[in-house]
């Protein structure tokens, strides 16, 4: 039986614990703690009873299905032709809606995200080796210059002569590699941008698919 | 004309099963079958079919939303938004119950309305005039019991209008509409613990608001 004398300690009691006990949402040691509290404090015991009564009364308010059977909505919510026209998706939004349909979104999203990821990897793969080749070529060109300037009778001032020297195999390879790498390095950012866009679009579609699955809509 | 009131609508207390089926799958439930046919026609561009769905569910959705947004004008706007949203997102319907799908959209619209009110705080919600609805009761012939119940409902609705939106929504969805904790967590985008906490704190807040009227509810 609740002890009236314990009521003076009531302000320090955990009322949410009592609310959880009233709702049957306690587990383990909390049940014992709540029982002890309700048994020792008359105010907590009364609170528990009141919370039971309030929950019961709230359930008795009648759910929407019951209430709506006798209480019509205050206005008519039917859509006019103008509403429908305004709400129908157009242009890119229409394309997005078609793509974002849950069943399609998963497939399209997965494919686009994968393609985007592969494209990004390829684009960084293209740029990286040729960055290295370019650097190596620069080093080699520097080394050639050193050799040329160190050669007796060949002055560093005669650049035209140096250019007119018999084709140096190292130099031609360097120039060829640089031209090739330049064209690929120029293509890499475009591929990276396109791949990034595909990755973002694919991820967005996957997110839409995941969200609609979660909401169950 | 299709009229939902002629069709019995089961009061749901059990967890809802979200079926992953196309809307073209034939259902055994005549209401469900009707809804799926109408939605399929609406998806094909038939506005009348969509409006038949609106007529079937507008009373239900309003009754649901007005409990969460206890201002009839704001609740009406939220229900209208819900139907707009349903029309815009028909393609996203993944099958299952059209009624559950619409209810979820309406609950989202109600929460949007609550957020809008939070951003533009004005007067508190007015108390709902809710005494026109009485649940079926064995005490129907007893005028004292009817009057007591009406008074209880009025007091409870008044108290519900005064607690926080989050607490009210959780209590309405759990106690009144019969959704379970996990469903409410999914619909409101919060954790299970937060849903429970909102319900418990909401009931404590209701008790606080009803402290001088608890005699209506005791024994
Ligand atoms: Zn206490």
């Amino acid at each position: 039986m609740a002890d009236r004398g314990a009521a003076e300690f009531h302000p320090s009691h955990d009322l949410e614990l009592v609310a959880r006990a009233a709702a049957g949402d306690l587990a383990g040691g909390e049940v014992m703690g709540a029982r002890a509290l309700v048994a020792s404090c008359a105010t907590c015991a009364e609170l528990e009873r009141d919370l039971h009564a309030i929950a019961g009364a709230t359930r008795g308010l009648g759910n929407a299905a019951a209430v709506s059977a006798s209480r019509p909505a205050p206005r008519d919510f039917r859509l006019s032709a103008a509403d429908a026209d305004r709400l129908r998706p157009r242009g890119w939004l229409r394309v997005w809606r078609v793509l974002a349909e849950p069943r399609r979104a998963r497939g399209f999203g997965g494919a686009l995200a994968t393609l985007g990821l592969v494209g990004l990897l390829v684009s960084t793969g293209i740029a990286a080796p040729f960055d290295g080749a370019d650097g190596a070529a620069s080093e080699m060109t520097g080394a050639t210059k050193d050799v040329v300037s160190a050669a007796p009778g060949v002055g560093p001032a005669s650049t035209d002569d140096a250019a007119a020297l018999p084709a140096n195999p190292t130099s031609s390879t360097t120039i060829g590699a640089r031209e090739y790498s330049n064209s690929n390095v120029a293509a890499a950012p475009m591929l990276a941008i396109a791949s990034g866009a595909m990755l973002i679009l694919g991820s967005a579609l996957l997110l839409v698919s995941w969200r609609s699955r979660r909401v169950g809509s | 004309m299709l009229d939902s009131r002629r069709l019995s609508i089961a009061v749901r207390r059990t967890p809802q099963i979200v079926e992953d089926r196309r809307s073209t799958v034939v259902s055994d439930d005549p209401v469900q079958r009707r809804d799926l046919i109408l939605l399929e026609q609406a998806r094909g561009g038939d506005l009348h079919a969509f409006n038949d769905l609106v007529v079937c569910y507008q009373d239900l959705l309003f009754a649901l939303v007005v409990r969460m947004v206890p201002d009839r004008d704001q609740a009406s706007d939220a229900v209208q938004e819900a139907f707009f949203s349903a029309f815009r997102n028909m393609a996203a319907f993944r099958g299952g119950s059209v009624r559950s799908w619409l209810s979820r959209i309406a609950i989202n619209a109600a929460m949007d309305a609550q957020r809008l009110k939070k951003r533009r705080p004005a007067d508190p919600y007015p108390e709902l005039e809710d005494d026109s609805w009485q649940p079926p009761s064995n005490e129907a012939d007893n005028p004292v019991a009817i009057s007591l119940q009406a008074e209880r409902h009025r007091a409870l609705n008044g108290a519900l209008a005064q607690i926080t939106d989050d607490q009210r929504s959780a209590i309405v969805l759990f106690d009144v509409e019969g959704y379970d904790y996990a469903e409410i967590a999914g619909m409101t985008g919060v954790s299970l613990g937060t849903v429970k906490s909102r319900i418990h704190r909401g009931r404590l807040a209701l008790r606080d608001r009803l402290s001088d009227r608890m005699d209506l509810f005791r024994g």
Side-chain angles (χ1 to χ4, degrees):
Chain A
M1 188 64 197
D3 179 6
R4 291 260 163 213
E8 63 184 284
F9 300 110
H10 180 72
S12 66
H13 290 163
D14 183 354
L15 303 188
E16 205 170 328
L17 181 72
V18 179
R20 288 164 62 208
D25 278 342
L26 293 180
E30 286 181 319
V31 180
M32 301 302 289
R35 269 189 203 153
L37 185 62
V38 169
S40 65
C41 175
T43 315
C44 280
E46 188 178 66
L47 174 65
E48 192 190 25
R49 282 194 299 273
D50 285 353
L51 291 173
H52 268 299
I54 286 170
T58 313
R59 285 185 207 109
L61 281 177
N63 65 11
V67 173
S68 66
S70 60
R71 295 183 74 192
R75 72 180 200 223
D76 190 344
F77 295 101
R78 276 178 291 186
L79 273 61
S80 66
D83 288 333
D85 205 40
R86 179 173 55 84
L87 295 165
R88 278 199 183 99
R90 295 168 196 286
W92 283 106
L93 191 61
R94 193 187 176 95
V95 175
W96 170 255
R97 286 274 157 80
V98 172
L99 287 176
E101 192 184 319
R103 294 250 164 172
R104 287 195 189 123
R106 213 169 159 206
F108 272 126
L112 276 175
T114 309
L115 273 175
L117 201 60
V118 169
L120 274 179
L121 289 173
V122 169
S123 66
T124 49
I126 287 171
F130 286 105
D131 278 352
D134 203 28
S138 303
E139 279 172 30
M140 286 167 83
T141 312
T144 311
K145 272 183 188 165
D146 291 345
V147 171
V148 168
S149 50
V154 181
S158 58
T159 17
D160 288 345
D161 292 346
L165 278 172
N168 180 336
T170 311
S171 299
S172 67
T173 310
T174 304
I175 292 161
R178 187 178 288 161
E179 280 171 358
Y180 183 65
S181 75
N182 280 347
S183 65
N184 280 282
V185 167
M190 287 168 64
L191 180 61
I193 289 168
S195 304
M198 282 199 286
L199 185 60
I200 290 167
L201 186 62
S203 305
L205 284 170
L206 284 175
L207 188 69
V208 166
S209 159
W210 175 75
R211 281 193 63 178
S212 64
R213 182 167 283 254
R214 191 162 170 264
V215 172
S217 58
Chain B
M1 186 67 189
L2 292 155
D3 187 351
S4 66
R5 288 179 203 148
R6 288 191 203 145
L7 297 155
S8 62
I9 296 171
V11 177
R12 195 165 57 77
R13 289 293 308 182
T14 51
Q16 163 198 20
I17 298 162
V18 178
E19 298 164 74
D20 190 12
R21 298 187 301 178
R22 297 301 296 171
S23 55
T24 45
V25 171
V26 177
S27 168
D28 291 337
D29 180 356
V31 176
Q32 175 76 344
R33 197 163 54 235
R34 174 206 65 185
D35 291 351
L36 292 175
I37 290 168
L38 286 175
L39 192 66
E40 205 57 47
Q41 289 170 348
R43 283 159 75 148
D46 184 350
L47 178 60
H48 292 297
F50 184 83
N51 278 336
D52 280 342
L53 272 177
V54 173
V55 170
C56 289
Y57 287 108
Q58 59 185 358
D59 297 344
L60 177 84
L61 296 196
F62 180 78
L64 172 64
V65 168
V66 79
R67 281 261 162 75
M68 294 173 68
V69 184
D71 177 304
R72 294 178 79 81
D73 290 337
Q74 285 176 24
S76 290
D77 291 346
V79 172
Q80 188 68 78
E81 270 310 314
F83 282 121
F84 285 164
S85 176
F87 186 83
R88 269 194 303 262
N89 294 295
M90 276 187 292
F93 178 73
R94 300 180 67 236
S97 162
V98 175
R99 179 184 154 168
S100 298
W101 176 66
L102 287 172
S103 297
R104 279 162 189 259
I105 292 174
I107 289 165
N108 282 332
M111 290 194 298
D112 285 345
Q114 290 172 345
R115 278 190 280 270
L116 197 71
K117 189 169 171 63
K118 237 177 240 175
R119 280 203 295 272
R120 290 187 300 192
D123 301 329
Y125 289 121
E127 285 189 19
L128 279 178
E129 301 157 22
D130 204 14
D131 49 348
S132 60
W133 183 80
Q134 289 297 313
S137 169
N138 294 333
E139 301 164 315
D141 296 327
N142 182 347
V144 177
I146 291 171
S147 160
L148 185 67
Q149 192 165 55
E151 190 57 29
R152 203 182 290 148
H153 283 188
R154 204 174 294 121
L156 196 49
N157 279 318
L160 273 169
Q162 290 172 42
I163 64 176
T164 70
D165 290 332
D166 291 338
Q167 291 170 353
R168 181 174 52 254
S169 295
I171 286 177
V172 166
L173 293 175
F174 185 77
D175 280 336
V176 186
E177 297 302 328
Y179 290 99
D180 64 25
Y181 291 141
E183 285 177 300
I184 299 170
M187 283 188 281
T188 54
V190 296
S191 69
L192 216 64
T194 303
V195 172
K196 289 182 184 180
S197 174
R198 284 176 180 175
I199 291 169
H200 301 146
R201 288 180 186 178
R203 284 181 185 155
L204 285 169
L206 284 178
R207 201 257 192 174
D208 199 40
R209 303 294 187 285
L210 293 166
S211 57
D212 55 350
R213 311 213 62 193
M214 276 312 297
D215 52 320
L216 280 171
F217 300 89
R218 290 177 187 144

